[in-house]
Amino acid sequence: MMMRWMAIVGLTAAGGAGAQVKVPPPVYIPPPTPQLSQENIRLLTMNAARTGGETAVTPLQVQAADPAFAGKLLLTRNPINPPTIAAQALLPLGAARAMLDGKDRAMPLTIIGRVAPGEPIPTDPKRRAYCNAKEERGNGIRCYVDSDGDGRFDQTRWGETYSDDSPYTIFMVSKAEALATPVAYSVIPPIELPALELIYQGCRVVDRIQYSTRIGVKGDGDVKTFGCPAQAQPLGKAELTGPGRYRVDRVTIDVAYATPEEATTRIVEPIAAGTLLDRIDVGKPVKLLGERKGWPIEQAEMGLRYARPPYRFVGVPQVTASGGAGATIVAGPYRYGYTAKILADALKSTMFSGKKPAFTAGDALYGIPMRNPLAPQLFGEPMMMWCAPKERKPGDWRANCLQQAEVTRGVYDGVFGALWIEQIPAIASNSDPIEIAEGPVDLPQPTVRYAFWKWTPNRLILRAYVSLNGFDMSGWRQVDVPRLKDGSALLALGGGVVRVTPDAAATGWQASVLRPFVADASAQTKPAYLVQMLEDAKVEGQPLTTDMIATLLAKEDNAGGM
């Protein structure tokens, strides 16, 4: 499977020059507790209203459990499509049918706006939409609204999902747009829609049973998953595995070992029939309707959980006042914001050579959140990629990387730029379960430097390098910084902002610190698009000045969100 994982931010770095700097021993900084002030919540809600986005949910009602349900659990292997250990039927609260684009469409009811705990399902037609299957617009799903309740759809909205093309996982809808020609529809019983199930897939992991949640169409069979991130809780016994009774999220199951290779499962305590559920996220605990806070707040809290920069300067970086092509503008040693270690030797599967070692117990890892939870165009929780840098021979560093989860499916071998990784274009090998533990580890502490390359009419072009013990790592990466209207460029990193201006011949540069650096702040640069967005934005009707842009960039970097 070909995958490309993009780091949460930044442009790049790899390679560099300069003497090794003595730094303190590794320090592990625990994840911050998600916490938003009332002012932040007010601003997030106001911004969501300004852009037209609104929280949305397709409520699902749990149906009575099937007494004949029989699941299974594999005991000696974990396929990429783990078997179902528990399942329960679901039904939307409403449905409608209409001829759309020449096709007969049956669509579930989606509620616009947050439904508070205990609140009746809204009857206001402006808050009731019916959402279609995926159309060619990223993860966008077309939703239709009968705003005046006359039996015709007269508005359309785009619904957004985190990962799939299902109208049952919508978390927000865009601003309403008028339909040029209203479309007649009819309300139909939800039973006419494809039969849905809440599905728990199970994995046996060494000494315990794990599971993952998802929503699916009954009869589709087991599907591929990156692993089973949640642990089943044994009831009435000390062992984490073996025959017995287990709590799996909101369901209780009995596990019986039928053969040395396979166990059977049955539901002994299902979710109560009639329970209303919110959106079901793959691998996450099931939420009751009303338990979620609404998408802008969820996104912000998700961002806080991954707010630490993956690469942090040790102290503050150094700035050179002026120079020409190839000269360093900003440089400094850095450490890693997320660290962990491998708990046990692990093997990977190869196509022709069977299983080979992938990691050794004690291997030191650093983590990179591989999607940006704060960027408006990328929703959802990032996938944490953990990488173990190794020096194969003097100066030749490579990394083996693995996906986040207590049960890991993907191992990426020999990744270049082992000491600073921001994307992984690689083929993943399947692996045995790999267990990791976050905490302090002993990792190299290299130096990153941003060197001038050239000016273009619209950009300052930099080359970013990483060095260790005075030797440049192989390769460099290009960093593009947009020029502002006055011709300068703002390089935002380290909790501060450096203003870079061209010399008279535009073959060199001069640098000055607009905002001072902050100790232990991000060693990555801001994405170029963010600098441009800030300049193009307006505050209270007034264009942003260079000084105001620098202030905003520095504040955002201090928060660690980039």
Side-chain angles (χ1 to χ4, degrees):
M1 175 175 62
M2 179 67 73
M3 305 290 287
R4 178 179 292 269
W5 295 103
M6 300 299 295
I8 227 175
V9 278
L11 293 167
T12 61
Q20 174 73 0
V21 178
K22 187 175 182 179
V23 295
V27 175
Y28 181 71
I29 305 172
T33 302
Q35 186 174 1
L36 289 172
S37 68
Q38 290 302 312
E39 175 63 9
N40 283 339
I41 291 174
R42 185 187 70 81
L43 291 174
L44 286 165
T45 305
M46 183 177 67
N47 184 64
R50 181 180 62 81
T51 57
E54 290 188 68
T55 291
V57 61
T58 303
L60 297 168
Q61 187 178 62
V62 179
Q63 305 300 294
D66 181 359
F69 170 83
K72 69 178 180 179
L73 177 70
L74 301 179
L75 303 178
T76 58
R77 61 188 179 91
N78 282 317
I80 60 175
N81 51 337
T84 299
I85 58 174
Q88 205 161 343
L90 302 171
L91 199 65
L93 294 185
R97 185 181 298 277
M99 289 296 295
L100 301 167
D101 301 321
K103 296 181 180 179
D104 181 17
R105 306 277 194 181
M107 303 170 287
L109 171 67
T110 295
I111 301 300
I112 299 171
R114 180 172 178 265
V115 179
E119 177 187 351
I121 299 301
T123 57
D124 180 356
K126 292 185 176 64
R127 293 190 60 188
R128 297 169 70 91
Y130 296 91
C131 297
N132 207 342
K134 183 177 180 181
E135 299 192 24
E136 295 301 322
R137 186 183 177 273
N139 277 343
I141 294 176
R142 198 77 175 269
C143 298
Y144 297 87
V145 179
D146 175 8
S147 65
D148 55 10
D150 68 350
R152 298 184 303 167
F153 293 133
D154 54 13
Q155 291 181 350
T156 183
R157 291 178 175 234
W158 286 103
E160 297 288 349
T161 72
Y162 282 121
S163 60
D164 57 22
D165 57 1
S166 168
Y168 300 104
T169 58
I170 285 174
F171 66 89
M172 68 163 288
V173 290
S174 66
K175 185 177 181 179
E177 301 174 9
L179 278 174
T181 304
V183 177
Y185 70 95
S186 58
V187 175
I188 60 174
I191 197 71
E192 294 187 21
L193 296 171
L196 298 174
E197 286 185 313
L198 167 61
I199 298 171
Y200 294 98
Q201 292 176 267
C203 309
R204 182 179 182 276
V205 185
V206 186
D207 61 350
R208 62 189 182 277
I209 296 173
Q210 302 271 136
Y211 66 89
S212 181
T213 53
R214 71 178 180 89
I215 184 174
V217 175
K218 187 173 183 179
D220 273 0
D222 300 322
V223 300
K224 184 183 299 183
T225 176
F226 285 120
C228 301
Q231 180 178 318
Q233 299 300 316
L235 301 176
K237 66 190 195 105
E239 302 85 15
L240 299 177
T241 187
R245 185 158 294 186
Y246 294 84
R247 187 68 176 174
V248 177
D249 191 27
R250 296 178 180 272
V251 174
T252 300
I253 65 171
D254 271 346
V255 176
Y257 279 29
T259 70
E261 293 79 28
E262 187 173 302
T264 60
T265 65
R266 67 183 184 91
I267 300 172
V268 293
E269 186 181 331
I271 301 174
T275 301
L276 295 182
L277 303 183
D278 205 301
R279 180 187 76 245
I280 296 171
D281 292 332
V282 174
K284 301 296 178 62
V286 169
K287 299 251 183 211
L288 301 180
L289 186 64
E291 285 186 340
R292 296 187 185 275
K293 301 175 183 178
W295 77 267
I297 311 306
E298 283 185 326
Q299 286 294 127
E301 291 184 341
M302 198 179 293
L304 286 176
R305 289 197 291 276
Y306 297 89
R308 284 173 294 144
Y311 310 102
R312 310 171 71 114
F313 281 121
V314 177
V316 296
Q318 301 298 309
V319 178
T320 306
S322 62
T328 297
I329 300 176
V330 180
Y334 66 89
R335 62 162 59 101
Y336 299 99
Y338 303 84
T339 57
K341 65 179 178 181
I342 298 288
L343 293 182
D345 293 353
L347 301 176
K348 64 180 180 182
S349 300
T350 61
M351 185 174 295
F352 302 109
S353 306
K355 291 191 173 184
K356 290 188 173 182
F359 297 95
T360 302
D363 279 351
L365 306 168
Y366 70 90
I368 318 105
M370 298 301 274
R371 284 194 299 166
N372 188 346
L374 302 180
Q377 70 273 32
L378 293 174
F379 297 111
E381 189 163 3
M383 170 76 73
M384 182 69 84
M385 197 72 70
W386 294 98
C387 294
K390 298 283 186 180
E391 190 174 25
R392 297 186 174 185
K393 58 185 179 180
D396 180 16
W397 286 79
R398 301 288 179 89
N400 283 358
C401 300
L402 59 94
Q403 295 160 359
Q404 178 195 25
E406 294 191 43
V407 180
T408 301
R409 290 291 166 220
V411 173
Y412 301 81
D413 299 317
V415 179
F416 288 95
L419 300 176
W420 181 299
I421 294 172
E422 289 185 342
Q423 65 178 19
I424 301 182
I427 296 177
S429 302
N430 288 333
S431 72
D432 287 346
I434 299 176
E435 294 188 84
I436 67 172
E438 291 193 51
V441 296
D442 187 13
L443 283 166
Q445 294 180 327
T447 293
V448 61
R449 67 183 179 94
Y450 296 90
F452 173 78
W453 184 18
K454 66 180 180 180
W455 293 99
T456 70
N458 299 313
R459 293 282 189 274
L460 163 64
I461 310 298
L462 305 177
R463 285 181 173 177
Y465 300 86
V466 164
S467 63
L468 184 65
N469 298 325
F471 294 98
D472 285 355
M473 301 293 100
S474 59
W476 50 266
R477 299 181 188 176
Q478 182 169 310
V479 178
D480 294 354
V481 184
R483 297 176 71 170
L484 305 181
K485 293 180 175 64
D486 62 7
S488 67
L490 300 184
L491 185 57
L493 76 172
V497 180
V498 176
R499 181 174 183 171
V500 185
T501 56
D503 62 12
T507 56
W509 50 270
Q510 295 178 330
S512 59
V513 177
L514 277 187
R515 286 289 178 276
F517 298 116
V518 176
D520 209 31
S522 176
Q524 290 177 294
T525 60
K526 296 290 185 184
Y529 77 83
L530 180 60
V531 180
Q532 196 67 56
M533 280 170 54
L534 289 172
E535 185 180 42
D536 293 342
K538 293 184 177 181
V539 175
E540 295 179 354
Q542 298 298 319
L544 287 170
T545 65
T546 299
D547 187 68
M548 294 166 69
I549 294 173
T551 302
L552 290 170
L553 284 170
K555 282 183 177 179
E556 192 166 308
D557 197 58
N558 292 343
M562 303 303 292

